[in-house]
């Protein structure tokens, strides 16, 4: 099996990504800056690593299991192979051991708080896409505070503020106002909104935000262009570099992810995601890095997934990530069904959402707004806590306090 160095990222990936993106302004360049994690990802030969997945045999899998993170991206590729699927129990045991060594029997809990489903971007897979005829709503700052109060009453101390892409309605000033309203009572605040420049992220940090989540959705440039048809989100490079800008602005936590089912080859996206996580951990070593692996769920627009993976493949992917990158957090949302989420508690997941609503409103009272997607695990936070404690895990509501 050929060797591929995990870091530094040296081999070049075809420079097609910028050429496929028509959104290029001076303030939003369509190329990544050198010396960034985004540049490291672009310089990673994903195709060569994907070939290693196809070529991997039992000896390669045994070596990857024995060497863990020392095997780098080449070892990770072996753990994604068909040969590794035959050793899924061994992967599960290794992933469990690695998780306990690094994180202990704990599970961080958070809730998404949707601010708005207004959006001017056209993304074929998203329920909020501008072309979808859905009920739209944007919460006032007072309504955001009421939603947050309902969540803190349930125990949450980490909230992820989510919104569609509408720079006029979900403006910089609006986001700052939301942060300022929540920061006195919510110790951990993150955002998953349209990507911004470094200065805007600095404003959010100053207002109380300490976490940034940006899903690249897919790292395949052609697929990215095919599913993002209109809006600022079409700029692949500007989005890819957003975690770098957030880290530069002072964000303490960086969350990245790929939406499994957009690209026909989920293993290629899984390899690129791991490369991105390693690059962020290398470049921004003071930041906590978390990855998410959401699988597409039904939503308005009725997008058909291109490369769905089975539950068994999903478990293999989670285990492979944990073995190869033991320090990375792995986030599992309520997109996944309860039995699978319960099983993955022991296999590498370190962060979970609970009792989620994916529409603006819904916690403090009923909402007639359309959700972004359907959730699969509808259990309450209290039920999730009981499951965790029965499994011998401590639910962690808070692990950070601003001073």
């Amino acid at each position: 099996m050929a060797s591929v160095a995990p870091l530094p990222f040296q081999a070049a990936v075809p420079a097609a990504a910028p050429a496929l993106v028509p959104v290029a302004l001076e303030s939003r360049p369509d190329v990544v800056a050198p010396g960034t994690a985004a540049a490291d990802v672009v310089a990673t030969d994903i195709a060569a690593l994907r070939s290693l997945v196809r070529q991997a045999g039992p000896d390669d899998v045994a070596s990857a299991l024995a060497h863990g993170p020392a095997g780098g991206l080449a070892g990770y590729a072996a753990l994604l192979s068909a040969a590794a699927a035959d050793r899924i129990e061994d992967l599960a045991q290794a992933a469990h051991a690695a998780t306990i060594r690094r994180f202990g029997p704990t599970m961080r809990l958070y809730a998404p708080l949707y601010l708005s489903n207004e959006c001017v971007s056209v993304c074929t897979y998203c329920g909020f896409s501008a072309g979808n005829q859905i009920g739209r709503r944007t919460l006032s700052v007072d309504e955001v505070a009421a939603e947050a109060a309902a969540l803190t009453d349930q125990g949450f101390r980490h909230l992820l503020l989510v919104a569609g892409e509408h720079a006029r309605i979900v403006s910089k000033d609006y986001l700052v106002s939301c942060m300022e309203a929540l920061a006195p009572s919510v110790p951990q605040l993150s955002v998953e909104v349209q990507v911004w420049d470094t200065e805007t992220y600095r404003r959010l940090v100053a207002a109380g935000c300490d976490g940034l989540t940006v899903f690249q959705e897919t790292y395949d440039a052609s697929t990215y262009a095919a599913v993002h048809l209109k809006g600022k989100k079409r700029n692949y490079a500007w989005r890819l570099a957003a975690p770098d800008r957030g880290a530069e602005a002072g964000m303490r936590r960086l969350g990245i992810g790929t939406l499994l089912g957009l690209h026909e080859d989920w293993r290629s996206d899984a390899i690129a995601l791991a490369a991105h996580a390693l690059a962020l951990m290398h470049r921004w070593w003071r930041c906590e890095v978390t990855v998410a692996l959401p699988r597409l769920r039904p939503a308005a627009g009725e997008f058909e997934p291109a490369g769905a993976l089975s539950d068994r493949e999903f478990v293999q992917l989670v285990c492979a990530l944990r073995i190869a990158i033991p320090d990375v957090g792995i986030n599992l949302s309520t997109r996944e069904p309860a039995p699978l989420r319960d099983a993955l508690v022991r296999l590498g997941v370190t962060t979970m959402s609970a009792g989620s609503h994916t529409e603006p409103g819904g916690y403090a009272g009923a909402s007639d707004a359309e959700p972004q997607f359907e959730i699969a695990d509808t259990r309450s936070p209290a039920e999730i806590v009981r499951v965790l404690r029965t499994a011998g895990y401590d639910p962690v509501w808070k692990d950070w306090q601003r001073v």
Side-chain angles (χ1 to χ4, degrees), residues 34-366:
T36 61
D40 294 339
V41 176
V42 171
T44 303
D45 195 335
I46 303 300
L49 288 161
R50 184 62 181 86
S51 294
L52 296 186
V53 177
R54 288 186 287 268
Q55 297 165 13
D59 290 344
D60 301 308
V61 177
S63 177
L65 283 169
H67 290 94
L73 289 175
Y76 174 64
L79 295 174
L80 296 177
S81 68
D86 293 336
R87 296 190 60 181
I88 190 68
E89 292 297 332
D90 294 327
L91 266 69
Q93 291 178 19
H96 173 72
T99 307
I100 295 299
R101 278 195 304 270
R102 174 61 181 83
F103 296 94
T106 64
M107 185 66 64
R108 298 173 178 177
L109 298 176
Y110 76 98
L113 198 174
Y114 277 72
L115 308 175
S116 174
N117 60 0
E118 296 282 357
C119 195
V120 296
S121 292
V122 176
C123 307
T124 60
Y125 56 88
C126 183
F128 291 173
S129 182
N132 291 337
Q133 299 301 309
I134 63 171
R136 307 279 181 175
R137 181 185 180 189
T138 299
L139 303 182
S140 68
V141 174
D142 286 344
E143 288 174 324
V144 172
E147 291 286 289
L151 287 166
T152 57
D153 284 348
Q154 297 181 65
F156 289 105
R157 296 297 182 269
H158 178 191
L159 302 183
L160 172 65
L161 307 190
V162 186
E165 299 202 344
H166 199 304
R168 181 179 60 82
I169 295 176
V170 187
S171 67
K172 305 172 186 179
D173 291 342
Y174 170 79
L175 291 171
V176 168
S177 295
C178 289
M179 287 294 165
E180 290 174 341
L182 301 189
S185 59
V186 184
Q188 294 177 255
L189 290 167
S190 303
V191 287
E192 185 180 348
V193 295
Q194 77 170 68
V195 298
W196 297 98
D197 56 13
T198 305
E199 184 53 39
T200 300
Y201 287 140
R202 286 198 180 101
R203 288 186 63 194
L204 291 172
V205 169
C209 183
D210 70 292
L212 172 66
T213 295
V214 180
F215 288 4
Q216 189 61 22
E217 316 297 12
T218 176
Y219 288 86
D220 180 78
S222 297
T223 302
Y224 188 93
V227 299
H228 298 106
L229 305 181
K230 179 183 177 182
K232 297 175 183 177
K233 196 170 180 178
R234 273 187 65 83
N235 191 325
Y236 178 102
W238 180 245
R239 188 170 188 84
L240 184 64
D244 288 288
R245 297 193 297 274
E248 182 182 358
M251 294 288 184
R252 188 179 66 86
R253 290 175 290 111
L254 304 174
I256 58 172
T258 181
L259 189 52
L260 300 171
L262 282 186
H263 184 38
E264 62 183 2
D265 181 8
W266 64 264
R267 288 180 176 84
S268 290
D269 266 345
I271 290 168
L273 178 67
H276 198 182
L278 285 168
L280 288 168
M281 294 167 74
H282 176 69
R283 295 282 182 184
W284 304 103
W285 54 270
R286 289 186 175 89
C287 294
E288 173 190 312
V289 177
T290 300
V291 299
L293 306 159
R295 293 190 288 183
L296 275 170
R297 291 282 300 156
E302 300 181 351
F303 179 84
E304 291 295 327
L309 67 164
S310 68
D311 286 353
R312 185 179 178 88
E313 290 171 326
F314 189 70
V315 169
Q316 181 181 356
L317 171 53
V318 171
C319 291
L321 265 171
R322 172 55 64 228
I323 295 166
I325 318 178
D327 289 338
V328 77
I330 299 179
N331 180 8
L332 188 65
S333 78
T334 52
R335 288 175 182 263
E336 299 301 332
L340 182 60
R341 294 223 312 162
D342 292 351
L344 286 168
V345 165
R346 300 179 181 273
L347 302 181
V349 173
T350 57
T351 303
M352 301 177 82
S353 56
S356 301
H357 283 269
T358 66
E359 75 279 7
Y363 295 116

